[in-house]
Amino acid sequence: TSLVVSDAEGRFRVVVKKTPQHPTLGIAIEGGCNTKQKEIRVINIGSDGAALEAGGLRVGHLILAVDGHNLQGCSHEEAARLISSCWSSRTRGELVLIVVERKPTPADIRRNSISLLSQM
């Protein structure tokens, strides 16, 4: 019931429908300008939330915007409050997230390389 559309810049527009069957959004985030992880990132998608039904949202996606509100520069608390507020708003029947894949950091690449080498 949800729509996921990608653009030429690698961003995904994920539309999550608000339905009585899934009263919660069902995501957990980390990050914010006041943390080590400066960008807002999805760290969990609950099995009973509407986000799972969206189909294109994945753990690790960076959330760039919610319902047209840019999350860049937001603290963790501000981002969580904004996402929650947009989800609970009764003025719209859907929540629109703009997300992007997180590019691997040099530390991620080293960690994966070490893991692969240790399996040989």
Side-chain angles (χ1 to χ4, degrees):
T1 62
S2 296
L3 179 65
V4 179
V5 179
S6 64
D7 67 13
E9 296 174 21
R11 296 176 299 206
F12 296 90
R13 181 178 182 268
V14 180
V15 179
V16 183
K17 302 289 184 186
K18 299 177 183 180
T19 66
Q21 296 83 11
H22 299 288
T24 63
L25 178 58
I27 66 170
I29 61 169
E30 74 173 359
C33 69
N34 60 331
T35 70
K36 282 178 72 174
Q37 166 67 38
K38 300 298 181 201
E39 298 166 305
I40 305 300
R41 182 168 69 108
V42 176
I43 59 169
N44 188 34
I45 300 173
S47 61
D48 60 347
L52 184 65
E53 297 296 315
L57 194 61
R58 292 198 306 263
V59 168
H61 272 159
L62 300 178
I63 303 175
L64 304 177
V66 58
D67 282 350
H69 301 279
N70 187 345
L71 294 184
Q72 190 172 32
C74 285
S75 70
H76 178 80
E77 293 77 16
E78 291 167 336
R81 196 175 311 115
L82 181 60
I83 292 168
S84 176
S85 172
C86 289
W87 178 254
S88 62
S89 170
R90 298 192 187 277
T91 60
R92 297 182 59 176
E94 61 191 28
L95 178 82
V96 178
L97 298 169
I98 304 299
V99 300
V100 67
E101 291 283 340
R102 181 178 71 93
K103 292 182 175 53
T105 65
D108 292 334
I109 293 168
R110 281 193 301 276
R111 193 172 25 256
N112 289 340
S113 297
I114 291 169
S115 175
L116 286 174
L117 288 173
S118 67
Q119 294 175 7
M120 295 181 146

